[in-house]
Each structure stands twice: as structure tokens, then as C-alpha cells.
Amino acid sequence: IMIVGRYLGPNALAGVGATAAIFELVIGFALGVGNGMGVVIARCFGAQDMTQLKRAVASTLVIGFGLSLMVSTLGHFGMYPLLEFLGTPTEIIDLSYQYIHMIVLCVGVTFAYNLCAGLLRAVGDSQAALYFLIFSAIINTVLDIYFIAYLHMGVRSAGIATIISQGISAVLCFTYIRKKTPFLIPSKKHFTWNKKLYVDLLGQGISMGLMFSVVSIGTVILQTSINALGSTIISAQTSARRIMIFALLPIIAMNATVTTFTSQNFGARQYRRIVEGLRQAMAIAITWSIFISIVLFFASSYLNELVTGSNDEELIYQASLYLKISSAFYPALSILVILRNALQGLGQKMMPLLSSIIEMLGKIFFVIFIIPSTGYLGVILVEPILWCIMAIQLYYAFRKEPVIRSLKKQSE
């Protein structure tokens, strides 16, 4: 985003920013499916059932290929009409399409990368998965600079850089798996039809994919209100969201860790270890969220100027306002994230999905009733308010989980 804004100008930045919700929808679905199926694999690993583990990996590859083909096909034919439906301004819609079409068309690469990283996390090698993620981000940045600043290839090249970086990381991740964790590699005999296993994998994968997607559908609908506010607000939202995602990286990384940790120990029946691990994760996440909210309160203007490369006072003010208000609610977001992923790791499908539906409906409510009268302030407030509501809902859902209730009775 910083490179696009600095080298291609405000329209290009707004063009990429107008696709942010769609990007989150596609990438979130791929990430959710990979993490969800990783829950089943982690459970097999925790139970030390290596034969079932290889069958699960084989089935995961088949499901991933099928879903990639489906998403890619739908995106190819439906992307431009979707951008028109979202009210993307005419001066930036072609730029938006150039970028997001490339991402969606090559979604199979994203699936491959997330599946490989999910396999490593499922067997407890989160460190390697993190290294590959960092490597992918570095390659992406280098390619962005080369394609945009030196070859002048335009907005489309930002999408190409993303796909190439993820492709390289996927290949390296697979090579690492073959050398370090060969027990994850299935043979031909493991590619067999097992209805119960496929239902379990699809149930976990699709439920977590939908959890991300339902949230993103709400964000896509919210994007219509943002687009109606003009290119300056689109750019401000884009800059602020990118800074927010970077600021929350430690908490985002903890998502998959919590899911895998919970699932492995659930498979091994180490229930007390689950509770203790979640307490520690909660303490770390809340401490970080408080720290980063203080940083963003004082540094938001400078960071937005750095990302956008713009001196537009209105753009910087609105982007900074977004960060200052939303960051105050990061502790609630931390609680929400950890509880939702813990419930996924325990095999719960409906409660995490219900929280995502609450978020989607809340965003639709704001788009219809609140934002028309409050403008961009309504856009800023919608997510923090929903984070608090969902954190409360998930807390009570977690307390009612059978494993947690049994431990509570034992302590009494």
C-alpha cells in the first residue's frame, strides 16, 4: 500500500483500497479453510494416529484443489459486476479490477501456501510457518518496489507480486515439510474416499472459512458506504486498516497458535493444559493491545503520512482518527480472537460462526441506519462496538463448553 501510494498516486491507492474488503473475503476464506482443516490434522497428531493423519492430509489436498477452482472461476466472471455493485467510483474501478482480479484468479496459490503453513502449525511447528510468512512479506515488498518503481507496471503488478511471493513461499514450505516432517506427506494409498473424514474436514474447514467470510461479507457491504464517501475517505480507510493489521500482527499470529494448541491438547485429553495456555495467551494479547494502542494514539499521523506519501490534511486526519478510536478497543478484540479460536480448536462450529454472523448483521445495521447520518465516524465506531458484543457472547459460550464446565466442577 505504501509503495502504491507513493509511486502511483492517490487514485491508485484508492483503487487498491476499494478492493480491501474483497481481498479480506478471498484471503480470509482461504486462511480459514486451511486453519479449519488443520484442526482435524492437529487432533490426529495429538492422538498420535499417524495413519489417520496422512489420510487427513491427503483429503485436505483434494478439498483445497476443488475449492480453489470454484473460487477462481466465480471470481473471474463475477469480480467486475461486484465492484460495480459496491459503488466503486468510476475513476478508480478499472484500477481496482486490475489488482483484485489477479489475486482471485490465482487463489489456488494462496490456498497452497495456507495449507502448507497450516500443516506445520498443526504439528506444532508454528515457528517455521512464521518464518515463511515473514519471508513472503519481504519478497512481496521487494517485488512491489521492482515492478512499480522500476518497471512501471502499474497497479496490476502489486497483485502479481503478491501471488509470486506466496507461490515461492508455498514451494519452500512444501520442501521444508518433506525434509523436516516427512510423516505429513501422504502416499497414493492414503488418497481414498472416507465419508466421515471428508465430512469432518469440510465441516471444520468450511465453518472456519465461513467464519472469516461472513465477517468479510459484512465488510464488503460496509465498503459500499465507504465508497460513497469519496476517494479521500477510501484512501484514509486503506491506510488506517493497513497500519492496524500491522499493529495487530502478534495477535493475528496467535490466532492459529491458539487453535492448534487447543486442538492438539484436546486430542491428547490434556484439558487443564488448554485452560492454562489460554490464560497465558490472553495475558500476552491484552498486554500487547494496550501497548500498541498507546503507540498508535501518539504516532498515527506520522504513520499515515509514511504509508500514503500524502500531505492531504483531511486524509491524514481521518485515517489518524480511525486508529486513535479503534485502538482503544484492541483489548476487547484480543479476548474475542482468542476465545473464538479456542472454541474452534475444541471442535465447536456454531458459536464462532454465530459471532461472525453477529458482526455481519451489525455492519449491515450500521450501513442502513447509522452511517448515513454520522458519516465516516459511523464507519470508525462499527467494529469496536461489535468487538465488545462478540467478546461477551464468546465468553459465555466458552464457559458453557463441556470441557471447561467439567474442569470448573473438579476445581469446586
Side-chain angles (χ1 to χ4, degrees):
I1 290 297
M2 183 169 65
I3 297 164
V4 170
R6 284 184 172 273
Y7 289 98
L8 298 180
N11 272 1
L13 177 62
V16 173
T19 69
I22 302 173
F23 182 87
E24 288 178 16
L25 176 63
V26 174
I27 300 302
F29 182 72
L31 180 62
V33 169
N35 286 346
M37 292 192 287
V39 168
V40 179
I41 296 169
R43 198 185 304 145
C44 295
F45 182 72
Q48 291 298 295
D49 188 346
M50 294 304 167
T51 300
Q52 187 72 350
L53 184 147
K54 289 189 176 183
R55 288 175 184 159
V57 172
S59 302
T60 295
L61 295 174
V62 174
I63 293 170
F65 176 79
L67 289 175
S68 299
L69 190 61
M70 180 188 71
V71 173
S72 183
T73 303
L74 289 173
H76 176 67
F77 291 105
M79 188 52 61
Y80 202 89
L82 178 58
L83 288 170
E84 290 178 320
F85 173 76
L86 294 176
T88 307
T90 54
E91 67 269 20
I92 64 172
I93 190 169
D94 289 335
L95 295 170
S96 298
Y97 180 74
Q98 290 174 23
Y99 173 73
I100 197 63
H101 179 257
M102 181 59 61
I103 299 291
V104 175
L105 195 63
C106 300
V107 72
V109 177
T110 304
F111 265 106
Y113 168 71
N114 283 302
L115 286 175
C116 287
L119 289 177
L120 288 173
R121 286 191 290 264
V123 297
D125 197 352
S126 299
Q127 193 173 40
L130 176 61
Y131 290 154
F132 286 118
L133 177 64
I134 294 171
F135 178 78
S136 176
I138 293 171
I139 294 295
N140 196 351
T141 303
V142 171
L143 289 176
D144 275 338
I145 294 172
Y146 181 65
F147 289 158
I148 294 173
Y150 291 93
L151 298 184
H152 306 289
M153 291 173 61
V155 169
R156 188 189 303 273
S157 64
I160 295 172
T162 299
I163 296 302
I164 292 175
S165 63
Q166 289 186 344
I168 293 172
S169 293
V171 171
L172 292 176
C173 196
F174 178 72
T175 303
Y176 178 88
I177 289 172
R178 290 193 64 179
K179 289 184 176 180
K180 298 294 185 179
T181 55
F183 59 86
L184 283 171
I185 306 297
S187 60
K188 187 177 180 180
K189 68 179 182 180
H190 295 112
F191 286 87
T192 56
W193 171 252
N194 184 320
K195 182 179 178 180
K196 184 178 179 181
L197 179 59
Y198 269 84
V199 168
D200 195 12
L201 285 166
L202 278 170
Q204 285 290 349
I206 297 298
S207 67
M208 192 172 274
L210 284 176
M211 185 182 76
F212 284 99
S213 296
V214 167
V215 171
S216 296
I217 288 170
T219 306
V220 167
I221 295 169
L222 182 63
Q223 189 70 44
T224 61
S225 293
I226 298 169
N227 289 346
L229 297 173
S231 297
T232 299
I233 294 298
I234 295 173
S235 296
Q237 175 79 357
T238 303
S239 176
R241 294 285 294 187
R242 286 296 183 270
I243 294 170
M244 184 183 83
I245 291 171
F246 184 79
L248 293 174
L249 274 178
I251 297 173
I252 294 170
M254 200 171 288
N255 288 357
T257 303
V258 166
T259 305
T260 303
F261 175 84
T262 305
S263 184
Q264 284 179 348
N265 284 282
F266 185 60
R269 300 182 181 275
Q270 298 290 328
Y271 303 140
R272 289 193 179 279
R273 200 159 179 265
I274 292 174
V275 174
E276 184 58 33
L278 292 179
R279 283 175 181 163
Q280 293 181 18
M282 197 82 72
I284 294 169
I286 291 175
T287 301
W288 171 260
S289 63
I290 293 172
F291 166 75
I292 201 64
S293 65
I294 295 171
V295 172
L296 290 177
F297 184 84
F298 291 103
S300 57
S301 296
Y302 169 76
L303 291 172
N304 280 297
E305 288 177 9
L306 182 66
V307 169
T308 62
S310 171
N311 293 318
D312 186 321
E313 292 184 2
E314 179 66 11
L315 191 162
I316 301 302
Y317 170 76
Q318 296 292 355
S320 299
L321 184 65
Y322 181 98
L323 289 172
K324 288 177 180 179
I325 293 176
S326 64
S327 63
F329 294 84
Y330 286 174
L333 177 60
S334 300
I335 295 170
L336 154 68
V337 164
I338 289 174
L339 291 179
R340 186 153 62 185
N341 283 275
L343 286 167
Q344 284 280 357
L346 291 170
Q348 284 280 357
K349 301 180 181 70
M350 288 309 301
M351 285 299 111
L353 182 58
L354 178 60
S355 75
S356 299
I357 293 172
I358 291 171
E359 184 168 357
M360 180 187 71
L361 294 176
K363 287 178 178 178
I364 293 173
F365 177 83
F366 264 71
V367 167
I368 297 173
F369 297 106
I370 306 299
I371 296 174
S373 59
T374 60
Y376 189 54
L377 181 62
V379 174
I380 295 172
L381 290 173
V382 56
E383 287 187 324
I385 292 172
L386 292 172
W387 291 341
C388 295
I389 294 171
M390 290 184 292
I392 294 169
Q393 177 252 329
L394 288 170
Y395 173 77
Y396 282 105
F398 185 76
R399 297 267 297 185
K400 291 180 179 179
E401 169 61 33
V403 170
I404 305 304
R405 290 178 68 181
S406 67
L407 287 176
K408 185 179 179 183
K409 286 180 180 178
Q410 290 176 21
S411 64
E412 292 174 350

